[in-house]
Amino acid sequence: EEEIPRLRSQISELMVVISRVLYEFEDENTALYTFDLSEREKLYELSSQQEIMNWSISRIKLIVETIDDIKKKHEDSIIARAIEFIKENYTKDINLADVAKHVAVSPYYLSKLFKSERSQNFIEYLTDLRIEAAKKMLIDSEMSAKEVCFAVGYSDPSYFSKVFRKITGLT
C-alpha cells in the first residue's frame, strides 16, 4: 500500500527536476505548465501504478516535443544568424570557422546544421551567393572579370573563372 504514494512522490520529484531543466533552457512558460498545480493534483488523484505510468509517459512525451521545438527554434536562429553574417561578409575572405565563431557554435555543428537545414553545405552556399553577385556585377557594371573576382570575395582570378564556369557554364 505504501508503494503508490512513494511512486507518486518520486514522479513528482522527477517532474520538478524536469521543470527546472526547462526553466534553465530559458523556456519559462513550458517550465511553469509542465508540472503546474493542476497536473500535480491529477498525479495525486491517480490510484494505480498503471495510471501513474500512463500519466508520466504522456507528460514526458509532451516535454520531449517541447524540447524538440525549443531545439528547432534555436537551430533556426543559428542558421538565420549565420546566413545574415555570410550575406554581410561574402565579399571578404571568410570560412566556416569565422561564421561558426560569430554564431557561437563549433564549425562541425554549424556544418552539420547547415547541411540539414539548407540541403547544401557552407561552401556551396557561399559559392552560390558569390557567383550570383558576380553575374549581376558583370551584367550591370563596367567592371572587369578580375575586378568582379575581388569584389565578390575571391583572391585568385583563375580560380574564380574556374568556379564561375563550373556553376554557370560560361567563361
Side-chain angles (χ1 to χ4, degrees):
E1 279 304 307
E2 254 181 54
E3 203 170 302
I4 299 296
R6 192 171 53 80
L7 183 59
R8 277 192 210 116
S9 176
Q10 288 172 334
I11 295 293
S12 181
E13 287 175 30
L14 176 65
M15 296 308 292
V16 167
V17 169
I18 290 172
S19 295
R20 284 192 190 133
V21 169
L22 285 172
Y23 193 84
E24 292 298 315
F25 257 125
E26 298 175 10
D27 194 14
E28 212 172 308
N29 294 337
T30 306
L32 295 174
Y33 88 81
T34 296
F35 194 54
D36 61 11
L37 187 58
S38 72
E39 286 303 321
R40 218 167 288 147
E41 287 171 356
K42 285 180 195 171
L43 172 62
Y44 281 90
E45 288 169 5
L46 304 175
S47 56
S48 75
Q49 275 188 326
Q50 192 58 50
E51 287 176 331
I52 293 170
M53 196 59 64
N54 291 343
W55 179 90
S56 301
I57 289 169
S58 72
R59 295 311 297 166
I60 290 170
K61 280 182 178 175
L62 179 69
I63 291 162
V64 167
E65 288 171 12
T66 301
I67 291 171
D68 281 346
D69 290 346
I70 293 167
K71 185 178 169 205
K72 181 81 174 110
K73 285 178 195 164
H74 182 67
E75 289 172 349
D76 290 348
S77 167
I78 290 170
I79 288 295
R81 291 191 338 259
I83 286 173
E84 182 181 332
F85 181 80
I86 295 165
K87 285 181 177 177
E88 290 171 0
N89 294 283
Y90 75 91
T91 60
K92 300 173 187 150
D93 182 22
I94 63 168
N95 59 38
L96 182 65
D98 297 328
V99 180
K101 184 177 178 183
H102 178 77
V103 296
V105 297
S106 75
Y108 173 77
Y109 180 68
L110 181 60
S111 176
K112 219 175 122 178
L113 198 55
F114 217 93
K115 186 74 175 164
S116 71
E117 294 293 313
R118 301 289 307 185
S119 65
Q120 63 181 164
N121 67 32
F122 166 78
I123 289 296
E124 291 167 341
Y125 179 78
L126 179 60
T127 301
D128 286 351
L129 191 63
R130 286 176 167 169
I131 296 303
E132 283 306 308
K135 289 192 306 193
K136 287 179 185 153
M137 286 179 191
L138 289 167
I139 292 169
D140 299 340
S141 74
E142 298 298 316
M143 294 170 79
S144 69
K146 189 175 182 178
E147 290 169 319
V148 169
C149 160
F150 297 126
V152 297
Y154 287 98
S155 56
D156 179 355
S158 63
Y159 179 70
F160 167 71
S161 293
K162 189 173 151 186
V163 171
F164 191 88
R165 187 174 348 155
K166 183 181 172 197
I167 290 180
T168 65
L170 304 168
T171 55

